Amino acid sequence: MPKFVLIGSGLAGGLLAAFLGRRGYEVDLYERRADPREGNIVGGRSINLAISTRGIHALEQIGIAEEALQHAIPMRGRMIHDRSGELHFSPYDVDPKKCINSIGRGALNTTVIDAAQRYPNVRVHFNHKCTEVHLESASAQLETAEGIITARGDAVIGVDGAFSAVRKSMQSEIANFRYDESHLAHGYKELTIPPGLNASWRMEKNALHIWPRKSFMMIALPNPDGSFTCTLFWEFEGPRSFATTKTEDDVRRFFEEEFPDAVSLMPSLLDDFRNNPTGSLVTIRCAPWFYRGKACLVGDAAHAVVPFYGQGMNAAFEDCVVLDECFEEFPKNRERGFAEYFRRRKQNADALADLAIENFIEMRDKTASKIFRAKKKLDHALEAALPGIYLPLYTMVTFTRMPYAKAAKRARIQDALVYAGLFVIAATLVAAMLWLIAT
Ligand SMILES: Cc1cc2nc3c(=O)[nH]c(=O)nc-3n(C[C@H](O)[C@H](O)[C@H](O)COP(=O)(O)OP(=O)(O)OC[C@H]3O[C@@H](n4cnc5c(N)ncnc54)[C@H](O)[C@@H]3O)c2cc1C
């Protein structure tokens, strides 16, 4: 049985180790952090995330979807908060049973690591930081409390996130390795709405809350303890931005002007704002994602995307499913398996990167507009009238496993047809009115 060295036991690392373990492969999974099950919070990242069809399907393959989802909170649509505090609910789909689920990052991480460790051929090593990978020998250098060690296998897989050490080694060792990293002008900061009395939720529990403010926005996802985790996405620089909001008065004034209905629910706003880090938002595209049969990238290490479609982790989990399928198809030829995985996933990861950036504009700006809400209603009406034929883009991305690139292409064609249809209807109406006036 081949031996795999996996770097990074985040969301995708744990799940991939479970997939490989199920195949009977030898797996050593190395993580730079301490064991999250010993109460180590995953620092600096979103506390909760939205998991949908693709991610759930991947968990089902390993038989842990129910276990993972037991504490998740279904979110049936977007709850838009305007400046006056007025609320508008927009369901995600015409079928009210279709929802995305708010799930704790820590709980999900623990579930996938537990699943991997059920296979005796999977070993997980915490507090091991990879500093370098040698591709030809499929070996990784790891910093530990006892000093530097070398882990060798038949292949090294980098599941070590957006700032992957494995990818860096591929960049320096593979001639013509293509790499592109682009940062948004916006950063993000997490804030909290604590639970109400008896752990109750102080806003609608089964919704993803959005405060769209054109060039910036705040969102909030519910947690099982009755709290909400809010994330403010805001410009780093500019007249009103993270850079210019320095004093407590600045922070208070900004929130009272922009999110008046939320401020009263956020007693720790000033402390959260001061103490929580301001994260950056990066899109990473690279190629190739593999080196012969010896190294490969999975998840954010291969394709970090901005979080606005709620698909980064879902896509990382889908990578694990596709890589597993490729190992099934090419059991004796790992290089072919890696190459096929790359071929199937690359264009879809690129399409998702574009969709995620477009959805930022939709969430922060368009969701506030009446035209946008009318278009969503039209989408749902068409979906109900033409079941299986007309599928809104959000539905294809979130509630199906249609490849991202195919979903994006199909949505462009649908939109062109809808706008052409609306144009014909409008032109016919105008012609009819002119005819009536003339006769
Ligand atoms: C604010 C925010 C909100 C998000 N919301 C959503 C959402 O709602 N839905 C969704 O699907 N996605 C969301 N995402 C994206 C999601 O978090 C990522 O796509 C997902 O975590 C990728 O999983 P991964 O395992 O590839 O990487 P990670 O989860 O980043 O895991 C990488 C692991 O590798 C370890 N590591 C890193 N370097 C080394 C090293 N040198 N040696 C050893 N170990 C190392 C890290 O400690 C970590 O444990 C969000 C992201 C952000 C920033």
Side-chain angles (χ1 to χ4, degrees), residues 242-316:
F242 280 118
T244 54
T245 307
K246 294 204 170 82
T247 66
E248 296 201 336
D249 276 350
D250 293 343
V251 176
R252 202 179 294 114
R253 201 175 316 117
F254 170 65
F255 274 79
E256 276 167 1
E257 275 170 30
E258 299 295 344
F259 315 115
D261 61 332
V263 177
S264 58
L265 307 175
M266 302 169 93
S268 58
L269 169 65
L270 297 177
D271 288 342
D272 289 350
F273 198 91
R274 188 179 43 246
N275 298 331
N276 293 350
T278 310
S280 62
L281 297 162
V282 64
T283 302
I284 287 170
R285 298 171 203 255
C286 66
W289 293 355
F290 70 104
Y291 173 74
R292 301 178 52 194
K294 308 221 171 198
C296 189
L297 299 173
V298 168
D300 275 16
H303 51 74
V305 299
V306 293
F308 305 108
Y309 231 112
Q311 284 293 315
M313 164 267 294
N314 285 284

Side-chain angles (χ1 to χ4, degrees), residues 8 11-12 31-32 45 50 105 130 160 300 310-314:
L11 299 178
E31 165 61 44
R32 70 175 172 192
R45 301 291 297 280
R105 187 183 284 271
C130 174
D160 48 347
D300 275 16
Q311 284 293 315
M313 164 267 294
N314 285 284

Side-chain angles (χ1 to χ4, degrees), residues 6-306:
L6 263 56
I7 307 296
S9 77
L11 299 178
L15 189 67
L16 183 62
F19 272 105
L20 299 178
R22 191 177 62 169
R23 291 205 161 272
Y25 297 164
E26 292 297 318
V27 180
D28 278 291
L29 173 56
Y30 295 96
E31 165 61 44
R32 70 175 172 192
R33 293 197 171 114
D35 189 340
R37 293 164 297 189
E38 287 164 10
N40 304 291
I41 316 277
V42 189
R45 301 291 297 280
S46 63
I47 290 162
N48 53 20
L49 341 95
I51 186 166
S52 48
T53 299
R54 295 167 204 264
I56 295 170
H57 171 77
L59 297 175
E60 279 168 353
Q61 302 311 297
I62 292 294
I64 54 171
E66 219 172 289
E67 185 184 338
L69 289 172
Q70 60 183 328
H71 300 301
I73 299 178
M75 299 181 288
R76 304 191 196 293
R78 301 169 166 132
M79 185 67 83
I80 309 297
H81 297 239
D82 70 18
R83 267 201 191 79
S84 69
E86 205 173 303
L87 302 178
H88 306 271
F89 182 72
S90 170
Y92 280 127
D93 195 80
V94 66
D95 176 355
K97 286 200 289 299
K98 285 197 180 136
C99 52
I100 60 175
N101 303 278
S102 174
I103 193 166
R105 187 183 284 271
L108 186 56
N109 205 173
T110 298
T111 307
V112 291
I113 294 172
D114 281 347
Q117 287 189 317
R118 282 180 203 138
Y119 298 96
N121 41 324
V122 175
R123 295 161 293 273
V124 188
H125 315 264
F126 295 101
N127 300 308
H128 281 64
K129 181 184 174 192
C130 174
T131 50
E132 206 182 340
V133 168
H134 185 238
L135 302 184
E136 206 55 62
S137 62
S139 62
Q141 299 262 43
L142 299 147
E143 256 174 36
T144 73
E146 285 77 43
I148 303 220
I149 62 158
T150 303
R152 280 177 218 287
D154 295 296
V156 177
I157 303 189
V159 216
D160 48 347
F163 302 100
S164 165
V166 180
R167 191 186 61 231
K168 265 190 207 111
S169 294
M170 288 171 74
Q171 228 176 319
S172 59
E173 286 194 35
I174 300 176
N176 303 323
F177 187 86
R178 280 175 284 138
Y179 181 72
D180 180 67
E181 169 181 320
S182 65
H183 290 259
L184 285 192
H186 294 67
Y188 71 94
K189 194 179 278 289
E190 293 202 337
L191 306 159
T192 308
I193 293 180
L197 275 182
N198 301 322
S200 58
W201 287 267
R202 300 174 76 191
M203 304 187 294
E204 168 58 48
K205 169 190 172 191
N206 297 115
L208 190 152
H209 294 261
I210 310 179
W211 290 259
R213 298 293 182 263
K214 292 217 177 285
S215 71
F216 62 93
M217 69 172 177
M218 184 165 80
I219 65 168
L221 273 71
N223 295 311
D225 66 356
S227 66
F228 285 85
T229 303
C230 307
T231 312
L232 169 67
F233 295 97
W234 201 18
E235 286 97 335
F236 277 115
E237 305 284 339
R240 262 202 340 165
S241 63
F242 280 118
T244 54
T245 307
K246 294 204 170 82
T247 66
E248 296 201 336
D249 276 350
D250 293 343
V251 176
R252 202 179 294 114
R253 201 175 316 117
F254 170 65
F255 274 79
E256 276 167 1
E257 275 170 30
E258 299 295 344
F259 315 115
D261 61 332
V263 177
S264 58
L265 307 175
M266 302 169 93
S268 58
L269 169 65
L270 297 177
D271 288 342
D272 289 350
F273 198 91
R274 188 179 43 246
N275 298 331
N276 293 350
T278 310
S280 62
L281 297 162
V282 64
T283 302
I284 287 170
R285 298 171 203 255
C286 66
W289 293 355
F290 70 104
Y291 173 74
R292 301 178 52 194
K294 308 221 171 198
C296 189
L297 299 173
V298 168
D300 275 16
H303 51 74
V305 299
V306 293

Side-chain angles (χ1 to χ4, degrees), residues 344-364:
R344 290 182 195 175
R345 293 302 285 161
K346 172 65 176 156
Q347 57 171 335
N348 291 309
D350 285 345
L352 175 61
D354 294 337
L355 289 172
I357 289 173
E358 285 160 23
N359 213 44
F360 183 31
I361 299 162
E362 176 165 322
M363 285 176 86
R364 73 178 198 216

